[in-house]
Amino acid sequence: MRAILEIQKQLMPDMIEMLKKRYTILHHIQVSRLVGRRTLASSLNMTERVLRGEVEFLKTQGLLEVESYGMRVSEAGQKLLEQLEPMIKELFGLSDMEKQIRDAFGLEKVIIVPGDSDQSPSTKKELGRAGASALRKMAQEAGVIAVTGGSTMHEVANHLTPTTPLKGSLFVPARGGLGESVELQANTIASIMAKKTGGQYRLLHVPDHLGEEAYQSLIQDPNIREIIEVIRDTRIVVHGIGEAIVMAKRRKLDRNTIDRLLADGALAEAFGYYFDREGRVVHKMPTAGLRLEDLQNTKVIAVAGGRSKGESIASVLKYGKEHVLVIDEAAATEMMNHLQ
């Protein structure tokens, strides 16, 4: 495929650019599910006149369905996008980056989606779609699936659909979460995933971070102890990755703790653990939920994106528990810069 693409680039460069443009239009509509022409033109930084011509062509080819209330990708369009994905990754240079990051961190699979989720909501939606796809492929049989909170995990949940293994799965929060917006808490996301797939869910109604005394007291409660045991016996974990200081402030950690994190060089946060540039744990919160030591026999999917998180993602990967990584192009490029 690569050789053919190189020939086409030399002999028919205009055709390659047209392919990229039409793929991008279809892809944005797919991620949005239903979108109006004006909104789409704004998202793509394209004039409505130019977009109108492309939409008419795609509709004529049976790839788009256009109604008065918006556009959606047809079934034929969905199939074409799936077939085009490997070629598009070659055109955008994503295949090479996937391999280099996979080899550098010893991962089973790396999936890179075009764009920068720091700048584009549609890229974050695409991260969610790719994360949901990775989970469906990993879930070969029913079991316990633990999820963390955050906006990216919320997008993963929104893109799940009923599939045989997921229908019998039990979704649980990887940790407590009473310190941030309810819709972004792990409890909420676990329940959305269960409802989207037809699975079951259990909730953990405890704060995201606890003092040692409160932690020891809470885990004596039989109901809480029982759900914690379920969480720690999880089969698959899907989690996000955050920048250390951003997450510390979001969790409302005290000033002294934040100062210690800065002094220790904390770059990233996952599961309530804070990692430095070399992947060392420099701080951990006493949390009722999943611990790093519980990941020994667990498949782990990390989903994160945005140029601002590139170095943070790399620091968590250096700890070495992830199997599948789903990131965007901007985060991947930043990671490659640090690897080089």
Side-chain angles (χ1 to χ4, degrees), residues 274-317:
Y274 291 81
F275 302 83
D276 69 6
R277 187 184 305 275
E278 302 306 319
R280 293 182 294 250
V281 175
V282 296
H283 185 76
K284 64 178 180 179
M285 306 299 298
T287 179
L290 202 64
R291 304 162 302 183
L292 287 175
E293 54 264 39
D294 299 318
L295 302 181
Q296 299 302 324
N297 300 308
T298 302
K299 289 289 189 179
V300 182
I301 303 172
V303 188
R307 186 174 301 279
S308 62
K309 287 187 181 178
E311 195 173 9
S312 299
I313 295 167
S315 71
V316 173
L317 294 180

Side-chain angles (χ1 to χ4, degrees), residues 218-233:
L218 269 174
I219 62 173
Q220 300 309 312
D221 181 280
N223 293 322
I224 292 178
R225 187 188 307 158
E226 191 264 337
I227 181 60
I228 290 174
E229 288 175 0
V230 171
I231 291 169
R232 291 177 178 174
D233 192 37

Side-chain angles (χ1 to χ4, degrees), residues 21 37-38 41 46-56:
K21 180 167 71 170
R37 188 177 293 157
R38 182 172 298 176
M46 188 181 293
T47 66
E48 285 192 62
R49 182 182 63 80
V50 171
L51 180 62
R52 187 181 302 113
E54 296 297 340
V55 165
E56 284 302 317

Side-chain angles (χ1 to χ4, degrees), residues 25 28-29 32 34-52 55 66-71:
I25 292 169
H28 269 71
I29 298 172
S32 301
L34 184 69
V35 64
R37 188 177 293 157
R38 182 172 298 176
T39 301
L40 182 61
S42 176
S43 297
L44 296 173
N45 196 25
M46 188 181 293
T47 66
E48 285 192 62
R49 182 182 63 80
V50 171
L51 180 62
R52 187 181 302 113
V55 165
V66 181
E67 306 289 348
S68 59
Y69 45 81
M71 302 172 286

Side-chain angles (χ1 to χ4, degrees), residues 108-129:
E108 291 180 7
K109 189 173 184 62
V110 175
I111 301 161
I112 301 176
V113 304
D116 182 351
S117 54
D118 282 347
Q119 306 295 328
S120 168
S122 66
T123 300
K124 181 166 284 191
K125 289 180 185 295
E126 174 61 5
L127 269 179
R129 188 192 68 82

